Amino acid sequence: MEIQKLNWAGIKLTSHNKTILIDAVEDFSYYKPVLGDAVESLIEFSDHVQADYILFTHLHLDHFDKGVIRKCLKKNGKLIVYAGLEAVVRKIVIDAEIIILDLNETFTENNITFKPVFAMDGLGEIQSSWIVDDGKTKLFHGGDTIWHNQFWKLGKENSNIDYAFLPVNGVVVNFEIIGLEYSPVPASLSLKEAFAAAHLLHAKKLVLIHYGLFAHEKFYIPQVFDDNDMKRISEEVGQEYMVLKDGTVLLKS
């Protein structure tokens, strides 16, 4: 499996001559009033990527990009959707084949297995995490889940996870402008929580996602950390990790 880190929480997988996109977003302009401007150049991929399968953890627009679906999904490609999102997705996407899966239900095609599993959204929206397994490499993608009590169970029921892609910015949000009262409790995993979650998933490596690209002093306030923090928490928790810069390709045989 070849894995490429895209913008923010997005990744592109290539396996068995098939291309898979998860939480692949190119246009963040809708959320600019609350996220602010990206602090680094965004990767543009939609003009040259053709996907056989597109997955997303939830429908927040920094994880779900209608333009990417329109431009990147092949004519015979498939959206693979957690059942909790079906009704909304069918209203948004009307001209694509959609595979609907309940939590822990699997869909296998071209020797690749897809499985949505439990997640908990920081704003109370519907969200799942995804496990993708091509027989040689298994990965977990956690969108922007918060801490929950199912990581132990997920680790026991889903063995041999090679990479856990987990959010780490522990962001505090102030979304009163859309009717949500302010809360100082982080709306995504913090760095330490992500290391702990990866450890409970028994993942060989934590891969950090959903951090560094956006901050807004009033509305979107992420926790700040550095290389020393990552090394310290890795040793404390006993969890290996890796940092992939946006655009970096990881090759796994």
Side-chain angles (χ1 to χ4, degrees):
M1 182 184 289
E2 177 184 291
I3 305 170
Q4 183 181 28
K5 174 76 170 62
L6 301 177
N7 301 310
W8 199 227
I11 60 174
K12 177 171 75 88
L13 312 175
T14 306
S15 179
H16 300 295
N17 297 312
K18 301 297 178 182
T19 297
I20 304 157
L21 295 177
I22 306 177
D23 280 11
V25 176
E26 194 173 67
D27 181 8
F28 294 87
S29 62
Y30 299 99
Y31 279 0
K32 182 177 178 179
V34 292
L35 290 182
D37 291 310
V39 299
E40 298 177 359
S41 296
L42 295 170
I43 297 171
E44 296 181 356
F45 57 86
S46 64
D47 286 339
H48 62 271
V49 171
Q50 289 289 285
D52 299 278
Y53 307 100
I54 294 181
L55 295 72
F56 36 85
T57 56
H58 60 300
L59 297 179
H60 291 165
L61 300 181
D62 56 333
H63 295 258
F64 175 81
D65 189 334
K66 292 183 293 184
V68 166
I69 295 173
R70 185 183 67 254
K71 294 177 67 176
C72 295
L73 188 64
K74 293 179 179 178
K75 289 184 178 181
N76 61 343
K78 297 178 175 68
L79 291 183
I80 305 181
V81 178
Y82 165 48
L85 299 172
E86 178 183 4
V88 178
V89 172
R90 288 196 184 279
K91 292 178 181 179
I92 298 172
V93 183
I94 59 176
D95 57 352
E97 182 176 354
I98 301 177
I99 304 297
I100 304 298
L101 299 175
D102 288 318
L103 287 185
N104 301 310
E105 183 180 4
T106 60
F107 170 71
T108 301
E109 188 172 74
N110 296 304
N111 297 309
I112 306 169
T113 297
F114 305 90
K115 179 181 180 181
V117 295
F118 183 87
M120 186 171 286
D121 187 82
L123 301 181
E125 306 289 348
I126 297 172
Q127 181 169 171
S128 72
S129 294
W130 283 97
I131 294 175
V132 179
D133 183 359
D134 72 350
K136 292 185 177 180
T137 304
K138 181 187 289 188
L139 64 85
F140 181 102
H141 192 292
D144 63 4
T145 186
I146 60 174
W147 180 263
H148 56 71
N149 64 3
Q150 298 297 299
F151 287 115
W152 285 271
K153 183 178 180 182
L154 290 171
K156 291 178 180 178
E157 293 180 350
N158 301 279
S159 59
N160 301 315
I161 293 174
D162 294 286
Y163 302 104
F165 288 78
L166 293 172
V168 296
N169 68 341
V171 66
V172 170
V173 299
N174 183 359
F175 288 165
E176 292 178 306
I177 59 174
I178 59 172
L180 296 177
E181 294 180 76
Y182 169 76
S183 169
V185 177
S188 65
L189 292 177
S190 68
L191 183 67
K192 189 169 188 176
E193 288 173 335
F195 271 95
H199 181 69
L200 295 179
L201 291 169
H202 307 295
K204 294 182 177 67
K205 291 283 182 68
L206 163 68
V207 185
L208 286 64
I209 60 171
H210 200 271
Y211 74 104
L213 193 60
F214 295 106
H216 190 296
E217 62 182 7
K218 184 176 181 180
F219 301 120
Y220 195 84
I221 308 165
Q223 295 181 8
V224 177
F225 57 86
D226 58 22
D227 290 343
N228 290 329
D229 295 316
M230 289 186 279
K231 293 176 182 176
R232 173 179 54 80
I233 296 175
S234 172
E235 293 174 359
E236 178 183 337
V237 176
Q239 173 63 50
E240 295 187 12
Y241 72 100
M242 64 191 315
V243 175
L244 292 179
K245 292 184 178 181
D246 292 354
T248 301
V249 173
L250 171 67
L251 293 174
K252 172 74 174 179
S253 59

